[in-house]
Amino acid sequence: MILVPAVLPAVLALLGVWLGSWLTRNNEARNWRRDRCLEAYADVLRVCDEIANQALVLYATDNGTPEHHERNSLLVNKTAEMYRLSDRATLIGSEEIQEHLRELCLYCGNKVAAGAPADPKPSKDEWQRIRLDHFAPLFAAFLNQTRKDVRLS
């Protein structure tokens, strides 16, 4: 009977240490995921922005010139980088982010990057619709969803 009052505080102390350790580990795991997701999402957004900027410059250059060929090669490389980065974001991202990520990257690759070096080039109005009416809202939707996913206000 005397042993129970002496053991009870020790058992409670051990439970407290275990609970604190468990809560710390969960918090660290949550922070690790958030940091990796934030990095992956930011990389996708950065390269999509670079593709849009390179596509705009490429659209303004004449087809067949050395500058056009050089800029087109750069755009192809950036597009490949975007798909690699989107694969990384897909692996660690939440379910809520997947559709926005897929829509942005497919549109960026299939319309923005592919439209700039096209021969013949899209009309100025069509190019404006590609970049501003479609790409910009997809970019903004992905950005807003990433903020929700990593819990930034």
Side-chain angles (χ1 to χ4, degrees):
M1 193 69 104
I2 297 177
L3 188 60
V4 172
V7 172
L8 188 60
V11 170
L12 289 176
L14 286 174
L15 282 175
V17 168
W18 175 81
L19 180 61
S21 172
W22 183 77
L23 290 172
T24 300
R25 189 174 44 242
N26 280 350
N27 190 37
E28 287 174 2
R30 199 171 27 255
N31 287 340
W32 180 90
R33 183 197 168 276
R34 191 199 79 218
D35 292 345
R36 296 299 88 65
C37 286
L38 184 60
E39 181 182 312
Y41 301 158
D43 287 345
V44 169
L45 289 165
R46 176 190 48 80
V47 79
C48 285
D49 186 51
E50 289 174 2
I51 288 171
N53 290 333
Q54 287 297 323
L56 181 60
V57 172
L58 182 61
Y59 181 80
T61 61
D62 293 328
N63 286 356
T65 63
E67 181 185 4
H68 185 269
H69 178 69
E70 182 181 319
R71 292 206 177 267
N72 190 36
S73 293
L74 181 61
L75 186 60
V76 167
N77 291 337
K78 286 292 176 188
T79 304
E81 180 184 358
M82 176 195 64
Y83 286 122
R84 283 191 302 274
L85 293 171
S86 72
D87 288 344
R88 189 176 106 206
T90 298
L91 287 173
I92 63 173
S94 68
E95 287 294 319
E96 293 79 20
I97 205 79
Q98 301 301 323
E99 183 179 342
H100 295 285
L101 174 65
R102 184 177 48 257
E103 287 177 357
L104 174 64
C105 291
L106 287 176
Y107 192 83
C108 192
N110 292 338
K111 295 293 185 177
V112 177
D119 192 15
K121 292 184 181 196
S123 69
K124 288 187 181 198
D125 288 338
E126 187 178 347
W127 183 242
Q128 193 79 353
R129 278 192 302 277
I130 288 171
R131 289 185 58 250
L132 299 178
D133 295 346
H134 299 291
F135 173 72
L138 290 172
F139 188 91
F142 179 68
L143 175 64
N144 290 332
Q145 192 62 43
T146 62
R147 293 175 68 84
K148 290 178 188 174
D149 191 52
V150 295
R151 290 174 179 81
L152 296 174
S153 58

